[in-house]
Every structure is written in C-alpha cells, then in structure tokens.
Short mmCIF file of all heavy atoms in Angstrom, two decimals:
data_model
loop_
_atom_site.label_atom_id
_atom_site.label_comp_id
_atom_site.label_asym_id
_atom_site.label_seq_id
_atom_site.Cartn_x
_atom_site.Cartn_y
_atom_site.Cartn_z
N MET A 921 121.15 99.43 104.21
CA MET A 921 121.78 100.61 104.66
C MET A 921 121.24 100.83 106.09
O MET A 921 120.09 100.75 106.27
CB MET A 921 121.48 101.80 103.79
CG MET A 921 121.97 103.18 104.18
SD MET A 921 121.69 104.45 103.05
CE MET A 921 123.23 105.37 103.32
N GLU A 922 122.12 101.26 107.07
CA GLU A 922 121.71 101.57 108.43
C GLU A 922 121.51 103.09 108.53
O GLU A 922 122.38 103.88 108.03
CB GLU A 922 122.73 101.07 109.25
CG GLU A 922 122.33 100.71 110.62
CD GLU A 922 123.37 100.05 111.45
OE1 GLU A 922 123.78 98.95 111.12
OE2 GLU A 922 123.65 100.55 112.54
N TYR A 923 120.47 103.46 109.20
CA TYR A 923 120.13 104.86 109.35
C TYR A 923 120.30 105.30 110.85
O TYR A 923 119.99 104.48 111.72
CB TYR A 923 118.65 105.12 108.94
CG TYR A 923 118.44 105.04 107.51
CD1 TYR A 923 117.92 103.89 107.01
CD2 TYR A 923 118.77 106.01 106.57
CE1 TYR A 923 117.67 103.74 105.60
CE2 TYR A 923 118.61 105.82 105.16
CZ TYR A 923 118.01 104.68 104.77
OH TYR A 923 117.69 104.64 103.36
N ASN A 924 120.62 106.54 111.02
CA ASN A 924 120.70 107.07 112.43
C ASN A 924 119.44 107.95 112.54
O ASN A 924 119.41 109.13 112.24
CB ASN A 924 121.99 107.90 112.60
CG ASN A 924 122.15 108.37 114.05
OD1 ASN A 924 121.15 108.43 114.75
ND2 ASN A 924 123.37 108.69 114.35
N GLU A 925 118.41 107.40 113.04
CA GLU A 925 117.17 108.12 113.32
C GLU A 925 117.32 109.37 114.10
O GLU A 925 116.65 110.36 113.83
CB GLU A 925 116.18 107.11 114.04
CG GLU A 925 114.81 107.73 114.25
CD GLU A 925 113.84 106.67 114.82
OE1 GLU A 925 114.02 105.49 114.61
OE2 GLU A 925 112.86 107.23 115.43
N GLU A 926 118.20 109.39 115.01
CA GLU A 926 118.34 110.53 115.90
C GLU A 926 118.71 111.76 115.07
O GLU A 926 118.36 112.83 115.39
CB GLU A 926 119.47 110.18 116.98
CG GLU A 926 119.51 111.13 118.22
CD GLU A 926 120.53 110.58 119.20
OE1 GLU A 926 120.24 109.48 119.71
OE2 GLU A 926 121.51 111.28 119.36
N ILE A 927 119.56 111.54 113.98
CA ILE A 927 119.99 112.65 113.20
C ILE A 927 118.96 112.93 112.04
O ILE A 927 118.77 114.11 111.81
CB ILE A 927 121.38 112.26 112.59
CG1 ILE A 927 122.44 112.28 113.65
CG2 ILE A 927 121.78 113.34 111.55
CD1 ILE A 927 123.85 111.79 113.30
N LEU A 928 118.47 111.90 111.45
CA LEU A 928 117.71 112.07 110.30
C LEU A 928 116.27 112.56 110.59
O LEU A 928 115.53 113.14 109.61
CB LEU A 928 117.55 110.74 109.48
CG LEU A 928 118.87 110.25 108.91
CD1 LEU A 928 118.68 108.91 108.26
CD2 LEU A 928 119.40 111.28 107.82
N GLU A 929 115.85 112.50 111.79
CA GLU A 929 114.53 113.13 112.15
C GLU A 929 114.68 114.47 112.88
O GLU A 929 113.69 114.84 113.50
CB GLU A 929 113.72 112.07 112.90
CG GLU A 929 113.22 110.93 112.02
CD GLU A 929 112.04 110.20 112.50
OE1 GLU A 929 111.21 110.72 113.17
OE2 GLU A 929 111.95 108.95 112.21
N LYS A 930 115.82 115.02 112.84
CA LYS A 930 115.99 116.43 113.46
C LYS A 930 115.86 117.38 112.43
O LYS A 930 116.12 117.19 111.23
CB LYS A 930 117.33 116.45 114.12
CG LYS A 930 117.52 115.58 115.33
CD LYS A 930 118.19 116.26 116.33
CE LYS A 930 118.39 115.19 117.51
NZ LYS A 930 118.06 115.67 118.73
N CYS A 931 115.50 118.63 112.86
CA CYS A 931 115.35 119.78 112.00
C CYS A 931 114.48 119.57 110.78
O CYS A 931 114.70 120.12 109.67
CB CYS A 931 116.78 120.20 111.59
SG CYS A 931 117.92 120.66 112.99
N LEU A 932 113.37 118.83 110.98
CA LEU A 932 112.45 118.76 109.93
C LEU A 932 111.47 119.94 109.85
O LEU A 932 111.25 120.59 111.01
CB LEU A 932 111.57 117.46 110.09
CG LEU A 932 112.26 116.17 110.16
CD1 LEU A 932 111.21 115.02 110.38
CD2 LEU A 932 113.03 115.92 108.87
N PRO A 933 110.90 120.25 108.76
CA PRO A 933 109.94 121.44 108.76
C PRO A 933 108.66 121.13 109.67
O PRO A 933 108.37 119.92 109.75
CB PRO A 933 109.54 121.45 107.28
CG PRO A 933 110.55 120.76 106.53
CD PRO A 933 111.16 119.75 107.48
N LYS A 934 108.26 122.17 110.25
CA LYS A 934 107.16 122.00 111.29
C LYS A 934 105.92 121.14 110.60
O LYS A 934 105.39 120.26 111.18
CB LYS A 934 106.69 123.30 111.65
CG LYS A 934 105.68 123.29 112.76
CD LYS A 934 106.33 122.81 114.07
CE LYS A 934 105.33 122.82 115.26
NZ LYS A 934 105.76 122.09 116.39
N TYR A 935 105.59 121.45 109.33
CA TYR A 935 104.48 120.84 108.66
C TYR A 935 104.76 119.30 108.53
O TYR A 935 103.81 118.50 108.66
CB TYR A 935 104.13 121.38 107.39
CG TYR A 935 105.17 121.37 106.29
CD1 TYR A 935 105.21 120.30 105.36
CD2 TYR A 935 106.14 122.33 106.15
CE1 TYR A 935 106.25 120.25 104.41
CE2 TYR A 935 107.07 122.36 105.18
CZ TYR A 935 107.17 121.23 104.35
OH TYR A 935 108.14 121.14 103.33
N LEU A 936 106.01 118.94 108.24
CA LEU A 936 106.35 117.55 108.10
C LEU A 936 106.27 116.86 109.48
O LEU A 936 105.76 115.76 109.59
CB LEU A 936 107.74 117.37 107.45
CG LEU A 936 108.14 115.93 107.31
CD1 LEU A 936 107.27 115.05 106.62
CD2 LEU A 936 109.57 116.02 106.51
N GLU A 937 106.84 117.52 110.50
CA GLU A 937 106.73 116.93 111.87
C GLU A 937 105.23 116.71 112.25
O GLU A 937 104.91 115.72 112.86
CB GLU A 937 107.38 117.85 112.87
CG GLU A 937 108.89 117.90 112.81
CD GLU A 937 109.48 118.94 113.80
OE1 GLU A 937 108.68 119.57 114.55
OE2 GLU A 937 110.73 118.95 113.85
N GLU A 938 104.38 117.63 111.94
CA GLU A 938 103.02 117.56 112.32
C GLU A 938 102.34 116.40 111.57
O GLU A 938 101.53 115.65 112.25
CB GLU A 938 102.25 118.89 112.01
CG GLU A 938 102.54 119.90 113.08
CD GLU A 938 102.08 119.61 114.48
OE1 GLU A 938 100.96 119.14 114.60
OE2 GLU A 938 102.90 119.83 115.37
N ASP A 939 102.64 116.23 110.30
CA ASP A 939 102.06 115.12 109.61
C ASP A 939 102.51 113.71 110.09
O ASP A 939 101.80 112.83 110.21
CB ASP A 939 102.34 115.25 108.14
CG ASP A 939 101.46 116.33 107.36
OD1 ASP A 939 100.42 116.73 108.03
OD2 ASP A 939 101.84 116.83 106.27
N ILE A 940 103.78 113.63 110.46
CA ILE A 940 104.33 112.42 111.01
C ILE A 940 103.68 112.12 112.35
O ILE A 940 103.24 110.96 112.65
CB ILE A 940 105.87 112.57 111.13
CG1 ILE A 940 106.49 112.42 109.82
CG2 ILE A 940 106.37 111.43 112.03
CD1 ILE A 940 107.99 112.68 109.85
N LYS A 941 103.45 113.16 113.20
CA LYS A 941 102.84 113.13 114.46
C LYS A 941 101.40 112.52 114.29
O LYS A 941 100.95 111.63 115.03
CB LYS A 941 102.78 114.43 115.20
CG LYS A 941 102.14 114.32 116.55
CD LYS A 941 102.22 115.72 117.14
CE LYS A 941 101.33 115.60 118.41
NZ LYS A 941 101.17 117.08 118.92
N LYS A 942 100.67 113.06 113.38
CA LYS A 942 99.30 112.62 113.06
C LYS A 942 99.31 111.18 112.57
O LYS A 942 98.35 110.45 112.96
CB LYS A 942 98.62 113.49 112.03
CG LYS A 942 98.33 114.91 112.61
CD LYS A 942 97.73 115.82 111.42
CE LYS A 942 97.67 117.22 111.95
NZ LYS A 942 97.22 118.21 110.87
N LEU A 943 100.23 110.83 111.72
CA LEU A 943 100.26 109.39 111.25
C LEU A 943 100.55 108.44 112.41
O LEU A 943 99.86 107.41 112.59
CB LEU A 943 101.44 109.27 110.19
CG LEU A 943 101.61 107.88 109.72
CD1 LEU A 943 100.38 107.24 109.11
CD2 LEU A 943 102.81 107.84 108.74
N LYS A 944 101.48 108.80 113.26
CA LYS A 944 101.77 107.98 114.46
C LYS A 944 100.52 107.80 115.30
O LYS A 944 100.33 106.72 115.89
CB LYS A 944 102.97 108.51 115.24
CG LYS A 944 104.33 108.46 114.59
CD LYS A 944 105.40 108.98 115.45
CE LYS A 944 106.69 108.80 114.85
NZ LYS A 944 107.82 109.44 115.59
N GLU A 945 99.82 108.93 115.55
CA GLU A 945 98.59 108.91 116.34
C GLU A 945 97.54 107.99 115.67
O GLU A 945 96.88 107.23 116.32
CB GLU A 945 98.03 110.25 116.63
CG GLU A 945 98.80 111.14 117.49
CD GLU A 945 98.40 112.51 117.67
OE1 GLU A 945 97.44 112.85 116.99
OE2 GLU A 945 99.14 113.30 118.35
N GLY A 946 97.33 108.08 114.36
CA GLY A 946 96.41 107.29 113.58
C GLY A 946 96.78 105.86 113.70
O GLY A 946 95.84 105.02 113.81
N ILE A 947 98.07 105.52 113.66
CA ILE A 947 98.52 104.07 113.72
C ILE A 947 98.03 103.62 115.16
O ILE A 947 97.62 102.56 115.33
CB ILE A 947 99.96 103.90 113.50
CG1 ILE A 947 100.22 104.17 112.00
CG2 ILE A 947 100.46 102.52 113.90
CD1 ILE A 947 101.57 104.37 111.61
N ARG A 948 98.45 104.39 116.13
CA ARG A 948 98.24 103.97 117.52
C ARG A 948 96.77 103.84 117.72
O ARG A 948 96.31 102.92 118.55
CB ARG A 948 98.77 105.10 118.42
CG ARG A 948 98.79 104.74 119.94
CD ARG A 948 99.58 105.63 120.79
NE ARG A 948 99.36 107.05 120.59
CZ ARG A 948 100.30 107.87 119.92
NH1 ARG A 948 101.50 107.31 119.54
NH2 ARG A 948 100.12 109.16 119.67
N ASN A 949 95.91 104.66 117.20
CA ASN A 949 94.44 104.63 117.36
C ASN A 949 93.76 103.76 116.46
O ASN A 949 92.50 103.74 116.45
CB ASN A 949 93.80 105.99 117.38
CG ASN A 949 94.41 106.89 118.59
OD1 ASN A 949 94.53 106.40 119.67
ND2 ASN A 949 94.61 108.11 118.23
N LYS A 950 94.42 103.17 115.53
CA LYS A 950 93.86 102.18 114.46
C LYS A 950 92.81 102.85 113.72
O LYS A 950 91.74 102.26 113.59
CB LYS A 950 93.47 100.94 115.14
CG LYS A 950 94.64 100.15 115.77
CD LYS A 950 94.19 98.99 116.45
CE LYS A 950 95.41 98.35 117.09
NZ LYS A 950 95.10 97.26 118.06
N VAL A 951 93.07 104.08 113.12
CA VAL A 951 92.00 104.83 112.40
C VAL A 951 91.84 104.10 111.11
O VAL A 951 92.70 103.40 110.53
CB VAL A 951 92.32 106.20 112.18
CG1 VAL A 951 92.50 106.99 113.54
CG2 VAL A 951 93.56 106.45 111.43
N SER A 952 90.62 104.29 110.49
CA SER A 952 90.32 103.67 109.19
C SER A 952 90.85 104.37 108.00
O SER A 952 90.82 103.95 106.88
CB SER A 952 88.75 103.55 109.01
OG SER A 952 88.10 104.92 109.04
N TYR A 953 91.26 105.68 108.28
CA TYR A 953 91.77 106.53 107.11
C TYR A 953 93.25 106.58 107.15
O TYR A 953 93.87 107.69 106.74
CB TYR A 953 91.20 107.96 107.28
CG TYR A 953 91.26 108.62 108.58
CD1 TYR A 953 92.36 109.35 108.98
CD2 TYR A 953 90.28 108.29 109.62
CE1 TYR A 953 92.51 109.95 110.20
CE2 TYR A 953 90.44 108.98 110.83
CZ TYR A 953 91.56 109.66 111.14
OH TYR A 953 91.65 110.26 112.33
N ILE A 954 94.05 105.62 107.51
CA ILE A 954 95.40 105.70 107.61
C ILE A 954 96.08 105.87 106.34
O ILE A 954 97.17 106.54 106.23
CB ILE A 954 96.00 104.26 108.24
CG1 ILE A 954 97.38 104.41 108.80
CG2 ILE A 954 95.95 103.15 107.23
CD1 ILE A 954 97.50 105.22 110.07
N ASP A 955 95.44 105.40 105.19
CA ASP A 955 95.97 105.59 103.80
C ASP A 955 96.07 107.19 103.53
O ASP A 955 96.95 107.72 102.94
CB ASP A 955 95.23 104.97 102.83
CG ASP A 955 93.66 105.29 102.74
OD1 ASP A 955 93.16 105.64 103.95
OD2 ASP A 955 93.04 105.28 101.81
N CYS A 956 95.09 107.93 104.09
CA CYS A 956 95.01 109.48 103.88
C CYS A 956 96.21 110.04 104.65
O CYS A 956 96.84 110.97 104.12
CB CYS A 956 93.69 109.98 104.38
SG CYS A 956 92.36 109.44 103.39
N LEU A 957 96.52 109.61 105.88
CA LEU A 957 97.50 110.12 106.67
C LEU A 957 98.88 109.79 105.99
O LEU A 957 99.74 110.66 106.02
CB LEU A 957 97.46 109.54 108.12
CG LEU A 957 96.24 109.89 108.88
CD1 LEU A 957 96.21 109.14 110.22
CD2 LEU A 957 96.20 111.36 109.15
N ILE A 958 99.14 108.64 105.49
CA ILE A 958 100.29 108.30 104.76
C ILE A 958 100.49 109.18 103.47
O ILE A 958 101.58 109.67 103.26
CB ILE A 958 100.29 106.76 104.34
CG1 ILE A 958 100.30 105.96 105.61
CG2 ILE A 958 101.42 106.47 103.31
CD1 ILE A 958 100.18 104.38 105.34
N ASN A 959 99.42 109.46 102.77
CA ASN A 959 99.50 110.27 101.67
C ASN A 959 99.78 111.81 102.08
O ASN A 959 100.74 112.39 101.36
CB ASN A 959 98.24 110.37 100.89
CG ASN A 959 97.82 109.10 100.18
OD1 ASN A 959 98.75 108.29 99.79
ND2 ASN A 959 96.71 108.86 99.84
N GLU A 960 99.42 112.22 103.22
CA GLU A 960 99.84 113.61 103.72
C GLU A 960 101.25 113.58 103.94
O GLU A 960 101.96 114.57 103.63
CB GLU A 960 98.99 113.86 104.97
CG GLU A 960 97.59 114.29 104.60
CD GLU A 960 97.48 115.53 103.90
OE1 GLU A 960 98.14 116.55 104.12
OE2 GLU A 960 96.57 115.53 102.94
N VAL A 961 101.79 112.46 104.64
CA VAL A 961 103.23 112.47 104.95
C VAL A 961 104.09 112.39 103.69
O VAL A 961 105.09 113.11 103.46
CB VAL A 961 103.48 111.20 105.87
CG1 VAL A 961 105.07 111.03 106.00
CG2 VAL A 961 102.94 111.49 107.23
N GLN A 962 103.59 111.58 102.72
CA GLN A 962 104.29 111.46 101.48
C GLN A 962 104.39 112.89 100.76
O GLN A 962 105.42 113.28 100.24
CB GLN A 962 103.62 110.49 100.56
CG GLN A 962 104.28 110.24 99.28
CD GLN A 962 103.56 109.25 98.37
OE1 GLN A 962 102.46 108.62 98.72
NE2 GLN A 962 104.18 108.84 97.35
N GLY A 963 103.28 113.61 100.74
CA GLY A 963 103.36 114.92 100.10
C GLY A 963 104.20 115.84 100.84
O GLY A 963 104.91 116.68 100.22
N SER A 964 104.19 115.80 102.14
CA SER A 964 105.04 116.72 102.95
C SER A 964 106.56 116.37 102.72
O SER A 964 107.36 117.27 102.66
CB SER A 964 104.69 116.65 104.42
OG SER A 964 103.47 117.11 104.62
N ILE A 965 106.86 115.10 102.67
CA ILE A 965 108.23 114.67 102.41
C ILE A 965 108.74 115.26 101.00
O ILE A 965 109.72 115.80 100.87
CB ILE A 965 108.49 113.26 102.48
CG1 ILE A 965 108.18 112.64 103.92
CG2 ILE A 965 109.80 112.79 101.94
CD1 ILE A 965 108.11 111.08 103.96
N ASN A 966 107.80 114.98 99.97
CA ASN A 966 108.17 115.56 98.68
C ASN A 966 108.36 117.04 98.72
O ASN A 966 109.32 117.54 98.04
CB ASN A 966 107.03 115.14 97.67
CG ASN A 966 106.99 113.72 97.30
OD1 ASN A 966 108.03 113.02 97.35
ND2 ASN A 966 105.92 113.15 96.96
N SER A 967 107.45 117.73 99.36
CA SER A 967 107.60 119.21 99.35
C SER A 967 108.82 119.72 100.04
O SER A 967 109.56 120.53 99.60
CB SER A 967 106.41 119.80 100.17
OG SER A 967 105.21 119.67 99.35
N ALA A 968 109.19 119.03 101.17
CA ALA A 968 110.37 119.40 101.96
C ALA A 968 111.64 119.16 101.19
O ALA A 968 112.60 119.95 101.20
CB ALA A 968 110.38 118.56 103.20
N PHE A 969 111.66 118.05 100.40
CA PHE A 969 112.78 117.70 99.59
C PHE A 969 112.94 118.72 98.46
O PHE A 969 114.03 119.24 98.24
CB PHE A 969 112.76 116.28 99.12
CG PHE A 969 113.93 115.94 98.16
CD1 PHE A 969 115.25 115.91 98.78
CD2 PHE A 969 113.78 115.58 96.94
CE1 PHE A 969 116.30 115.50 98.02
CE2 PHE A 969 114.81 115.25 96.11
CZ PHE A 969 116.15 115.27 96.66
N VAL A 970 111.85 118.91 97.66
CA VAL A 970 111.83 119.83 96.56
C VAL A 970 112.29 121.25 97.04
O VAL A 970 113.04 122.00 96.30
CB VAL A 970 110.60 119.85 95.84
CG1 VAL A 970 110.44 121.01 94.92
CG2 VAL A 970 110.33 118.50 95.12
N ASP A 971 111.87 121.63 98.26
CA ASP A 971 112.05 123.01 98.68
C ASP A 971 113.53 123.12 99.33
O ASP A 971 113.94 124.19 99.72
CB ASP A 971 111.14 123.47 99.78
CG ASP A 971 109.71 123.68 99.24
OD1 ASP A 971 109.61 123.90 97.95
OD2 ASP A 971 108.77 123.72 100.01
N GLY A 972 114.21 122.01 99.47
CA GLY A 972 115.58 121.89 99.99
C GLY A 972 115.63 122.00 101.45
O GLY A 972 116.67 122.26 102.05
N ASP A 973 114.49 121.61 102.14
CA ASP A 973 114.39 121.67 103.55
C ASP A 973 114.90 120.42 104.20
O ASP A 973 115.19 120.35 105.40
CB ASP A 973 112.92 121.97 104.01
CG ASP A 973 112.57 123.33 103.64
OD1 ASP A 973 113.40 124.29 103.57
OD2 ASP A 973 111.23 123.49 103.42
N ILE A 974 114.98 119.25 103.45
CA ILE A 974 115.51 118.07 103.89
C ILE A 974 116.55 117.49 102.80
O ILE A 974 116.34 117.85 101.69
CB ILE A 974 114.43 116.97 104.31
CG1 ILE A 974 113.62 116.57 103.00
CG2 ILE A 974 113.63 117.41 105.41
CD1 ILE A 974 112.70 115.43 103.23
N THR A 975 117.49 116.72 103.31
CA THR A 975 118.41 116.09 102.44
C THR A 975 117.88 114.93 101.70
O THR A 975 116.87 114.29 101.99
CB THR A 975 119.73 115.65 103.08
OG1 THR A 975 119.28 114.60 104.00
CG2 THR A 975 120.29 116.84 103.90
N GLU A 976 118.56 114.44 100.64
CA GLU A 976 118.06 113.27 99.82
C GLU A 976 118.14 112.00 100.90
O GLU A 976 117.19 111.25 100.77
CB GLU A 976 119.00 112.95 98.65
CG GLU A 976 118.58 111.79 97.81
CD GLU A 976 119.32 111.67 96.52
OE1 GLU A 976 120.21 112.49 96.26
OE2 GLU A 976 119.17 110.64 95.85
N GLU A 977 119.08 111.97 101.76
CA GLU A 977 119.19 110.87 102.71
C GLU A 977 118.04 110.95 103.64
O GLU A 977 117.44 109.83 103.89
CB GLU A 977 120.57 110.98 103.54
CG GLU A 977 120.68 109.75 104.44
CD GLU A 977 121.94 109.90 105.16
OE1 GLU A 977 122.62 110.87 105.32
OE2 GLU A 977 122.31 108.73 105.78
N GLN A 978 117.64 112.18 104.13
CA GLN A 978 116.38 112.16 105.00
C GLN A 978 115.18 111.75 104.23
O GLN A 978 114.35 111.09 104.80
CB GLN A 978 116.27 113.59 105.54
CG GLN A 978 117.26 114.05 106.55
CD GLN A 978 117.08 115.52 106.90
OE1 GLN A 978 117.20 116.34 106.03
NE2 GLN A 978 116.63 115.79 108.21
N CYS A 979 115.08 112.27 102.90
CA CYS A 979 113.97 111.86 102.16
C CYS A 979 113.83 110.41 102.00
O CYS A 979 112.67 109.83 102.24
CB CYS A 979 114.10 112.59 100.72
SG CYS A 979 112.72 112.22 99.64
N ASP A 980 114.87 109.67 101.61
CA ASP A 980 114.89 108.24 101.40
C ASP A 980 114.48 107.59 102.83
O ASP A 980 113.64 106.66 102.78
CB ASP A 980 116.24 107.75 101.02
CG ASP A 980 116.58 108.14 99.54
OD1 ASP A 980 115.62 108.56 98.85
OD2 ASP A 980 117.81 108.05 99.28
N TYR A 981 115.04 108.02 103.76
CA TYR A 981 114.82 107.43 105.22
C TYR A 981 113.31 107.61 105.62
O TYR A 981 112.71 106.71 106.06
CB TYR A 981 115.74 108.13 106.25
CG TYR A 981 115.32 107.86 107.62
CD1 TYR A 981 115.61 106.59 108.24
CD2 TYR A 981 114.54 108.78 108.34
CE1 TYR A 981 115.23 106.36 109.53
CE2 TYR A 981 114.13 108.51 109.65
CZ TYR A 981 114.45 107.36 110.36
OH TYR A 981 114.09 107.07 111.58
N LEU A 982 112.81 108.79 105.47
CA LEU A 982 111.43 109.03 105.75
C LEU A 982 110.47 108.30 105.03
O LEU A 982 109.45 107.83 105.46
CB LEU A 982 111.16 110.58 105.72
CG LEU A 982 111.92 111.46 106.75
CD1 LEU A 982 111.79 112.91 106.43
CD2 LEU A 982 111.44 111.11 108.24
N PHE A 983 110.81 108.18 103.65
CA PHE A 983 109.83 107.38 102.77
C PHE A 983 109.83 105.93 103.22
O PHE A 983 108.76 105.28 103.34
CB PHE A 983 110.32 107.50 101.33
CG PHE A 983 109.56 108.46 100.58
CD1 PHE A 983 109.84 109.73 100.38
CD2 PHE A 983 108.34 107.92 99.84
CE1 PHE A 983 109.05 110.61 99.60
CE2 PHE A 983 107.62 108.83 99.16
CZ PHE A 983 107.97 110.16 98.96
N LYS A 984 111.06 105.37 103.45
CA LYS A 984 111.05 103.95 103.86
C LYS A 984 110.46 103.76 105.29
O LYS A 984 109.73 102.78 105.39
CB LYS A 984 112.65 103.54 104.07
CG LYS A 984 113.23 103.31 102.66
CD LYS A 984 114.68 102.91 102.73
CE LYS A 984 115.21 102.82 101.35
NZ LYS A 984 116.71 102.74 101.40
N LYS A 985 110.61 104.71 106.07
CA LYS A 985 109.94 104.44 107.47
C LYS A 985 108.41 104.71 107.43
O LYS A 985 107.66 103.90 107.94
CB LYS A 985 110.65 105.38 108.50
CG LYS A 985 110.10 105.22 109.86
CD LYS A 985 110.83 105.92 110.96
CE LYS A 985 110.29 105.68 112.28
NZ LYS A 985 111.17 106.30 113.31
N TYR A 986 108.01 105.93 106.95
CA TYR A 986 106.61 106.32 106.99
C TYR A 986 105.73 106.01 105.79
O TYR A 986 104.51 105.79 106.03
CB TYR A 986 106.58 107.82 107.38
CG TYR A 986 107.19 108.16 108.71
CD1 TYR A 986 108.37 108.78 108.80
CD2 TYR A 986 106.60 107.59 109.88
CE1 TYR A 986 109.03 109.03 110.01
CE2 TYR A 986 107.12 107.87 111.08
CZ TYR A 986 108.45 108.57 111.19
OH TYR A 986 109.01 108.81 112.35
N VAL A 987 106.34 105.96 104.67
CA VAL A 987 105.30 105.71 103.47
C VAL A 987 105.37 104.22 103.14
O VAL A 987 104.34 103.67 102.96
CB VAL A 987 105.84 106.59 102.29
CG1 VAL A 987 105.04 106.32 101.06
CG2 VAL A 987 105.72 108.06 102.66
N TYR A 988 106.55 103.63 103.09
CA TYR A 988 106.68 102.18 102.73
C TYR A 988 106.68 101.20 103.91
O TYR A 988 106.46 100.09 103.76
CB TYR A 988 107.92 101.94 101.91
CG TYR A 988 108.01 102.81 100.68
CD1 TYR A 988 109.16 103.43 100.38
CD2 TYR A 988 106.98 102.96 99.73
CE1 TYR A 988 109.31 104.26 99.25
CE2 TYR A 988 107.08 103.80 98.64
CZ TYR A 988 108.24 104.44 98.37
OH TYR A 988 108.40 105.17 97.26
N GLY A 989 106.78 101.76 105.03
CA GLY A 989 106.80 100.96 106.25
C GLY A 989 108.01 100.01 106.40
O GLY A 989 107.84 99.00 107.11
N GLY A 990 109.06 100.34 105.74
CA GLY A 990 110.17 99.35 105.83
C GLY A 990 111.07 99.41 106.98
O GLY A 990 111.88 98.55 107.27
N ILE A 991 110.94 100.48 107.81
CA ILE A 991 111.74 100.57 108.98
C ILE A 991 110.72 100.64 110.18
O ILE A 991 109.91 101.35 110.24
CB ILE A 991 112.61 101.90 108.99
CG1 ILE A 991 113.59 101.95 107.77
CG2 ILE A 991 113.32 102.03 110.37
CD1 ILE A 991 114.28 103.24 107.65
N VAL A 992 110.98 99.77 111.11
CA VAL A 992 110.05 99.74 112.28
C VAL A 992 110.56 100.50 113.39
O VAL A 992 111.70 100.66 113.67
CB VAL A 992 109.97 98.28 112.73
CG1 VAL A 992 109.10 98.14 113.91
CG2 VAL A 992 109.39 97.41 111.61
#
C-alpha cells in the first residue's frame, strides 16, 4: 500500500508530534535508549487512535514508519 506522508502526518496531536520529534532526534544522535523512544511513540499512537484523534489509516502508517521501521 502506498501512503501519502504529506496528509497522514498532518493534524497529529501535539504529544504525538513531540514523541515523533524526539525519536527522530534520537535516531539522528544514535542514542542508546532508542527502544524507549520507540515505546513512547507506540504508546502515543495507541492513545491517539483510541481517543479518536487519528484515523485507522494514520495509525497503520505511523506504526509501520516509526514502530516497525517499514517505511523509510
């Protein structure tokens, strides 16, 4: 499935945006606690989906990109 990153990463809850930003910084800086940052993003994605703040498509996309690392 092809994703449109421009659309799927818009209008995310602030806490999810912050966790994604921290994960990207952690990857860039090659921190030793990357697993903790991934767990934070995973929890934020779950919360946002359960609260109805993101769609199922956004949830799937964000999991594949940031938790499973399937989208580069």
Side-chain angles (χ1 to χ4, degrees):
M921 178 175 211
E922 207 170 299
Y923 292 100
N924 186 339
E925 182 175 335
E926 199 172 296
I927 293 171
L928 294 174
E929 290 201 31
K930 293 223 184 231
C931 301
L932 299 177
K934 188 71 174 165
Y935 63 89
L936 179 52
E937 286 181 357
E938 286 298 315
D939 286 343
I940 289 171
K941 179 181 173 186
K942 289 176 188 174
L943 176 59
K944 288 178 178 180
E945 288 173 4
I947 292 169
R948 190 171 40 255
N949 295 323
K950 299 178 182 167
V951 299
S952 62
Y953 51 90
I954 201 73
D955 56 327
C956 296
L957 297 173
I958 291 170
N959 287 341
E960 286 295 318
V961 170
Q962 182 177 7
S964 292
I965 293 169
N966 285 335
S967 293
F969 180 64
V970 168
D971 291 344
D973 294 330
I974 62 173
T975 66
E976 186 173 353
E977 184 179 17
Q978 285 175 299
C979 182
D980 291 344
Y981 166 79
L982 294 169
F983 258 94
K984 285 178 184 170
K985 182 171 183 178
Y986 296 111
V987 178
Y988 304 132
I991 300 174
V992 178

